Amino acid sequence: MNTGLYETIHRRRDVRAQFTGAPIPDETLDRILTAAHAAPSVGLSQPWDFILVRDRELREEFHRHVERERDTFAATLDGAAAERFARIKIDGVRESTLSVVVTYDPERGGPAVLGRHAIADAGLYSVCLAIQNLWLAATAEQVGVGWVSFYREPFLRDLLGIPATIRPVAWLCLGPVTHLEQTPDLERHGWRQRRPVSSVIHQDRWASGHRPS
């Protein structure tokens, strides 16, 4: 049994506040991106691209957009939920060493992508596998990763000049960290609690009356 792999999976965290801003060695970043590119993909289409964003002005503009979206979401909350959310840091755009924007090209490998004819989103799933590879490789390299989800796709497409046919899937913040938290942020702040694996396992068919919250 490869205990190192399991340890990396369970040590992985969505990093927000622990970035140091220190540089990532070129060879380390290359290993991380190569691991991402080694992900399986439907029809071997490899429909991902990686945009490395180091420019400070671009990152500041994106951060301002993220803050506006944070305010938009915060306005939908009240009471205890609003108080909990106010304590949660949602991004490390400014503090991280660089950002990696991962995109999806639905036309790559076409016109007939083997294995995608019945499941249109199979290509998008492939991009998510590349992101997971990147994240686990970064964790093994002692590099933190944070996925920023408070943004609108059209804004990001315009900001980085991404063609209309390409979908931006993830803005990832990368960089060395002071530490990785033992408990994920949303659990620490009481936003949600992790469900036991036994509650999501079914045998042969969906369990009658089983509606996970």
Side-chain angles (χ1 to χ4, degrees), residues 38-187:
S41 60
V42 64
L44 197 57
S45 55
Q46 298 178 297
W48 48 70
D49 284 276
F50 307 102
I51 305 173
L52 308 185
V53 185
R54 294 185 173 92
D55 183 84
R56 176 57 60 181
E57 290 186 12
L58 284 175
R59 292 164 66 188
E60 288 288 346
E61 187 171 353
F62 181 70
H63 183 263
R64 288 192 291 270
H65 173 72
V66 168
E67 286 294 292
R68 290 192 295 270
E69 290 300 323
R70 180 196 173 99
D71 292 343
T72 297
F73 179 71
T76 68
L77 305 173
D78 53 28
E83 293 178 8
R84 283 194 299 270
F85 182 65
R87 297 192 297 267
I88 297 173
K89 182 174 175 59
I90 63 167
D91 76 275
V93 174
R94 287 172 157 175
E95 299 87 349
S96 58
T97 306
L98 79 158
S99 293
V100 178
V101 175
V102 187
T103 63
Y104 168 49
D105 181 356
E107 297 180 355
R108 189 168 298 167
V113 176
L114 191 156
R116 202 181 67 185
H117 74 286
I119 304 175
D121 287 336
L124 185 60
Y125 302 157
S126 300
V127 174
C128 292
L129 291 173
I131 292 169
Q132 180 74 335
N133 269 20
L134 183 154
W135 213 323
L136 293 178
T139 302
E141 294 278 2
Q142 310 300 316
V143 171
V145 178
W147 188 329
V148 184
S149 57
F150 281 74
Y151 68 86
R152 304 287 176 170
E153 288 185 21
F155 175 88
L156 183 51
R157 183 178 285 112
D158 290 344
L159 179 67
L160 301 184
I162 299 171
T165 57
I166 306 298
R167 182 177 181 182
V169 176
W171 179 295
L172 305 175
C173 302
L174 271 72
V177 293
T178 56
H179 65 285
L180 293 175
E181 294 287 353
Q182 291 293 316
T183 304
D185 284 358
L186 296 187
E187 289 186 73

Side-chain angles (χ1 to χ4, degrees), residues 12-13 184 187 192-196:
R12 181 211 62 81
R13 290 291 176 266
E187 289 186 73
R192 291 291 296 266
Q193 294 301 310
R194 188 176 299 276
R195 303 174 69 243

